[in-house]
Amino acid sequence: MKKKVLFSLKSPYRGHLDVTGFRFGHGEKSIAVVGSMRGNEVQQMYVCSRLVQELKKLEAEDKITENCEILVVPCVNYYSMNIGKRFWAMDNTDINRMFPGYNLGETTQRIADGLFTKIQGYKYGVQLASFYQPGNFMPHVRLMDTGFTETEIMKDFGLQYAIVRRPRPYDTTTLNYNWQIWETKAFSVYANATDTIDDKSAEEAVLAILRFMSARGIINTHIRPGYCTEIIRESAAVQVQSEAAGIFRSAVNVGSNVERGDLIGRIMNPFDGETVSEIRTPVSGVVYFEYNAPLINEKTVCYKIITNDRTEKKF
Amino acid sequence: MIETIASADLAVNEKLCIQKRRIQNGNSTRRLSFVTGTHGDELEGQYLAYMLGKYIDDNIDMLDGIVDIYPALNPMGIDSITRGIPMFDLDMNRIFPGTRHGTMMEVICSSIVDDLSGSDVCIDVHSSNIFLKELPQIRMSVPTSEILLPYAEHLNVDFIWVHESATVLESTLAHTLNTRGTKTLVVEMGVGMRITREYCEQLFDGLVNLMVYMGIWKGEAPQVRKPVTSVNREVGFVNSGAAGIFVPSANFGDEVKKGDYIGDVLDPLTSAVVERVEAVCDGMIFTLREYPVVYGGSLIARILEPVKEGKAE
């Protein structure tokens, strides 16, 4: 293992921001894994740190395939992590909306560029991602559909679901999108939590990434099989919106199977405790996203359900 | 008439309401929409909204048409000095046209677009952020410029920046409305979290002039300046190469030559000048850094180059 500073930025009042990478193996750039880019993505950094531990063991056992190089970047924006902010501490910009970056541009464009130049050229790219709403996801792998990466490859992660997302304009400046434009087959792995550590999901994410590396011939070791992955278009998941505001109590967990009409959550008046809305699922299926903040506004997406009946929408 | 065009219940005993004021007189149904407050730290448009509404109220007989004023598309952001939408990651001006089936703010954005669509002209007023100060200017993309330039020239701004299209900008309010046939001009002026009275008064004259041009104002058109445009010109970006405190030596609107001294980046700990900042090209400074703390890459100035030789403005 080689630990190296990939990009360094001077600060007027703090130590340098040193974006650090861990390299395993030698030869062709096979896979790069990027963890936290936002200050609250603790779980994403944790998954990478555990992956580093696993790869150290594999390297010591000579189980990294010859002529394969693996790069892991656990954390890009630890400046914000250390002061409890999600985005870049100075101007609140999101590094994951600055790709491919620009070396003569604004600070976060330079950070994106500094990172991107070092993670470009890898055959595969994996980003540990978080969602822009508070909530829990079933661990899954996601692909931004640029037409460059074959969706079938996602099955090698062995996660229960693989989601294909049609990019929207604001997605075009993310790492995942730009990796693909620069010909890296890129995926985002969602490991449930963001600002808390969920060991079970972290282990599942680490195993999924190792399983992918094994299936793609980057490591020579057997990883226990995962799920027979189902590939689904994001649009095939039904979004359930809250019809009222108040205190939100969920009645199900991510991964729960639900039948149409089941009570899946409840919203209560925050002052007198009266139930103001019962949230019932409009479809039968599996809950793959669950809002997890205690307070909820009206018209908030509180559940995403992968329907059992996807005859029309199935990918 | 004050109308709530979009609303949603907030978690605890409160409602988010997006409001507009409609002022109507005469027979014409031609409509000017004035919209601002998308970013909660941009306040120049607040004073302008007041000025416009008051002037029309005081001279209502001069109006022959409709003026809709939307002072705060992001009221929670303005109230909490937050640029974005509190408790929501995405920039409000990156989620248009919104959707009826998305998150709360996407639903709100969808209603805003529905309400603004059909205006004859829409003026979307932004300030800069807290970091930069901008000369009053209008920004538009190349594909929209043919339609929008004649309107922009009436608005009494110093500068019209016609820039290349970018995919990420397709999710702005202006792009959405222009795509739907509602002519929308984006104004940038001043600095975040402040009101620059001089600039508001300048744009106010431009708005009255525009209303005359649209045929909805019977009064005399104010004298307005002829803006320079970026057509056949380049814009030079001056970014800090060092981290420290930027102290400017140049002013807004200054004409500079390439290599001219613009200011210094200083290190307060060592009392060293860590960078002498110089103009990257000839031209006029139309953006200048206001917030002193800089990192490598922080934008310090933008310079509009002169018209290229042999080209017309």
Side-chain angles (χ1 to χ4, degrees), chain A residues 134-171:
Chain A
N136 297 323
F137 273 106
M138 280 179 77
H140 69 276
V141 58
R142 190 177 280 238
L143 170 72
M144 200 97 73
D145 189 9
T146 60
F148 175 71
T149 306
E150 307 88 306
T151 53
E152 287 293 306
I153 300 177
M154 288 196 286
K155 291 181 174 175
D156 289 344
F157 286 92
L159 291 166
Q160 194 170 348
Y161 293 107
I163 312 278
V164 181
R165 174 180 170 82
R166 197 171 139 220
R168 295 171 70 172
Y170 61 75
D171 291 319

Side-chain angles (χ1 to χ4, degrees), chain B residues 50-96:
Chain B
Y50 161 81
M51 289 176 80
L52 181 64
K54 175 145 182 32
Y55 183 72
I56 298 172
D57 285 345
D58 291 347
N59 302 277
I60 190 68
D61 292 342
M62 308 293 257
L63 179 67
D64 184 20
I66 300 167
V67 176
D68 283 341
I69 299 174
Y70 304 70
L73 294 192
N74 177 14
M76 293 191 297
I78 297 176
D79 192 65
S80 58
I81 324 177
T82 308
R83 182 170 180 77
I85 302 155
M87 299 170 68
F88 187 72
D89 266 9
L90 301 175
D91 183 333
M92 188 173 185
N93 211 21
R94 295 290 180 273
I95 56 171
F96 285 102

Side-chain angles (χ1 to χ4, degrees), chain A residues 65-127:
Chain A
T65 307
E66 205 178 314
N67 201 29
C68 285
E69 189 217 283
I70 302 164
L71 174 67
V72 182
V73 186
C75 185
V76 179
N77 185 6
Y78 62 85
Y79 261 28
S80 297
M81 203 168 266
N82 286 334
I83 58 167
K85 283 192 156 193
R86 178 160 161 82
F87 297 130
W88 182 243
M90 175 85 175
D91 60 8
N92 211 36
T93 52
D94 183 356
I95 296 170
N96 198 33
R97 305 269 172 217
M98 292 292 162
F99 286 93
Y102 178 43
N103 66 346
L104 299 175
E106 289 261 16
T107 308
T108 42
Q109 288 178 308
R110 291 183 185 206
I111 297 169
D113 172 77
L115 174 66
F116 199 59
T117 52
K118 294 292 167 35
I119 58 174
Q120 242 178 294
Y122 282 83
K123 189 168 182 186
Y124 302 106
V126 175
Q127 183 188 358

Side-chain angles (χ1 to χ4, degrees), chain A residues 9-14 79 86-88 90-91 97 104-107 110 131-133 168-170 172-173 239 241 245-246 270-271 295-301, chain B residues 7-13 88-90 94-95 100-104 106-107 131 167-168 170-171 239-240 243-245 268 289 291 293-299:
Chain A
L9 179 81
K10 259 190 174 177
S11 159
Y13 294 98
R14 301 169 68 173
Y79 261 28
R86 178 160 161 82
F87 297 130
W88 182 243
M90 175 85 175
D91 60 8
R97 305 269 172 217
L104 299 175
E106 289 261 16
T107 308
R110 291 183 185 206
F131 195 47
Y132 65 87
Q133 280 183 288
R168 295 171 70 172
Y170 61 75
T172 58
T173 50
Q239 298 196 132
Q241 277 181 335
F271 292 168
L295 298 177
I296 194 165
N297 294 328
E298 186 189 357
K299 294 169 187 159
T300 299
V301 175
Chain B
S7 70
D9 286 340
L10 298 177
V12 186
N13 207 33
F88 187 72
D89 266 9
L90 301 175
R94 295 290 180 273
I95 56 171
R100 296 227 160 272
H101 308 291
T103 58
M104 180 181 81
E106 288 173 309
V107 176
F131 301 102
T167 309
V168 72
E170 288 173 11
S171 40
N239 294 85
S240 173
I245 300 295
R289 189 160 188 93
Y291 190 76
V293 180
V294 293
Y295 273 79
S298 296
L299 187 62

Side-chain angles (χ1 to χ4, degrees), chain A residues 214-286:
Chain A
S214 174
R216 294 278 126 192
I218 299 165
I219 56 175
N220 300 306
T221 189
H222 175 73
I223 307 293
R224 68 175 159 83
Y227 291 95
C228 182
T229 306
E230 192 174 352
I231 301 176
I232 293 161
R233 286 253 172 221
E234 192 181 43
S235 53
V238 172
Q239 298 196 132
V240 181
Q241 277 181 335
S242 58
E243 291 176 352
I247 290 177
F248 172 73
R249 304 302 294 158
S250 184
V252 292
N253 297 314
V254 287
S256 299
N257 282 293
V258 291
E259 293 294 324
R260 183 178 173 180
D262 280 357
L263 182 71
I264 53 175
R266 197 184 291 277
I267 298 171
M268 291 167 293
N269 181 297
F271 292 168
D272 62 22
E274 287 289 328
T275 297
V276 290
S277 174
E278 287 186 339
I279 306 168
R280 292 185 182 274
T281 172
V283 291
S284 299
V286 176

